[in-house]
Amino acid sequence: DTEVTQTPKHLVMGMTNKKSLKCEQHMGHRAMYWYKQKAKKPPELMFVYSYEKLSINESVPSRFSPECPNSSLLNLHLHALQPEDSALYLCASSRDWLGNTGELFFGEGSRLTVL
Amino acid sequence: AQKVTQAQTEISVVEKEDVTLDCVYETRDTTYYLFWYKQPPSGELVFLIRRNSFDEQNEISGRYSWNFQKSTSSFNFTITASQVVDSAVYFCALEGKETSGSRLTFGEGTQLTVNP
C-alpha cells in the first residue's frame, strides 16, 4: 500500500464548480509535490512545497491553487477548470527538497474529469 | 536542457521471457541521478531504483537488473523471467543537480504487457 494517500480517487466536476484534491503523508517528509499526468504521457511537475512553503510553481494557471496547511497535508484547490484539465493528479513526497537525491513516494492519484 | 528518451513505446512479451527497456539521456550536468519508476494500472508511481552519475556498477535486485553505461548515456532495465504482474508503464527519469533544481525529467514511458 502506498504511504501517500490521495482523496478523492475520482472526481467529476463542471467548469463552474469549486473542488479540492487532498493529499496526506505521515512519513515525516518535508517536501510535497503535485504532478499532472495526461493519458499515455509522463507526469508533469506543477508545484513543490518545501517545509510548508511554496518553492516551485511551474507556471500553472491560477485556476489551480495549492495549499500546504502543515507538513503532512497538501491540497489542490480547483476553480473554473477547463475540459483540457481532465487528467490524473498525482501527489508525491520526499524526505527533503534542497539537495534532494532521494526517492519520491507517489500516491495513487486523483482522476479528474471536467465536463 | 535535460532529456530522457525511451524509444520503445510498447513492448509485449510472453510470460517467462526476458525483456529489456531502453533509456537514453542527455544532460550537461556532471552530477546527476537516474531513476526508474513503475506505474501499474492502479496509478501510483512506484520507485524502483536511483543511480548517481559516479556509480557505474550494474545492479541486480531479484528479477530486475540495471545496466548504466555513461559512455553511451544509457540506463537500461532488464526484467528476467517476466511475470504478468510486471505489466505496467515504466518511466526512466533524470535529475541533474546543477541545472534542474532537483526537478525530475521523465521519459515518455514504455508500456510493458506480459501475456500469460
Side-chain angles (χ1 to χ4, degrees), chain A residues 39-87:
Chain A
K40 298 188 184 297
K41 288 293 184 183
E44 298 174 2
L45 183 64
M46 299 174 72
F47 302 105
V48 180
Y49 273 83
S50 175
Y51 291 83
E52 299 156 50
K53 288 187 172 22
L54 184 64
S55 297
I56 291 181
N57 175 344
E58 295 282 58
S59 302
V60 178
S62 59
R63 58 186 184 269
F64 295 91
S65 174
E67 178 196 20
C68 190
N70 61 56
S71 60
S72 300
L73 293 174
L74 184 66
N75 298 322
L76 186 62
H77 302 299
L78 315 170
H79 175 52
L81 294 193
Q82 304 297 311
E84 58 265 29
D85 296 322
S86 298

Side-chain angles (χ1 to χ4, degrees), chain B residues 62-109:
Chain B
R63 296 185 296 108
Y64 296 169
S65 61
W66 291 269
N67 184 348
F68 176 29
Q69 292 200 344
K70 218 168 173 178
S71 59
T72 55
S73 297
S74 66
F75 187 44
N76 296 338
F77 172 33
T78 297
I79 302 175
T80 303
S82 59
Q83 299 176 2
V84 172
V85 292
D86 295 327
S87 297
V89 180
Y90 290 85
F91 289 99
C92 181
L94 166 68
E95 176 192 355
K97 297 310 293 180
E98 288 95 16
T99 60
S100 75
S102 292
R103 289 166 173 79
L104 279 182
T105 299
F106 285 91
E108 291 290 309

Side-chain angles (χ1 to χ4, degrees), chain B residues 2-115:
Chain B
Q2 299 189 142
K3 186 177 180 182
V4 176
T5 302
Q6 295 180 252
Q8 305 147 309
T9 306
E10 296 182 17
I11 299 176
S12 183
V13 299
V14 176
E15 213 171 11
K16 297 184 184 174
E17 283 185 29
D18 298 347
V19 58
T20 295
L21 309 182
D22 297 332
C23 174
V24 175
Y25 62 92
E26 296 175 29
T27 180
R28 293 179 183 169
D29 290 344
T30 55
T31 302
Y32 54 88
Y33 294 82
L34 295 162
F35 300 77
W36 276 95
Y37 280 87
K38 173 184 180 180
Q39 188 173 35
S42 55
E44 82 277 21
L45 277 88
V46 178
F47 168 85
L48 296 178
I49 190 171
R50 180 184 80 245
R51 180 46 58 87
N52 77 54
S53 51
F54 299 107
D55 181 3
E56 288 192 68
Q57 275 193 327
N58 292 330
E59 183 157 338
I60 298 175
S61 176
R63 296 185 296 108
Y64 296 169
S65 61
W66 291 269
N67 184 348
F68 176 29
Q69 292 200 344
K70 218 168 173 178
S71 59
T72 55
S73 297
S74 66
F75 187 44
N76 296 338
F77 172 33
T78 297
I79 302 175
T80 303
S82 59
Q83 299 176 2
V84 172
V85 292
D86 295 327
S87 297
V89 180
Y90 290 85
F91 289 99
C92 181
L94 166 68
E95 176 192 355
K97 297 310 293 180
E98 288 95 16
T99 60
S100 75
S102 292
R103 289 166 173 79
L104 279 182
T105 299
F106 285 91
E108 291 290 309
T110 298
Q111 169 72 61
L112 173 65
T113 302
V114 181
N115 299 298

Side-chain angles (χ1 to χ4, degrees), chain A residues 94-106:
Chain A
S94 62
R95 190 180 65 238
D96 58 50
W97 167 248
L98 290 175
N100 172 40
T101 57
E103 60 188 272
L104 290 181
F105 289 79
F106 283 86

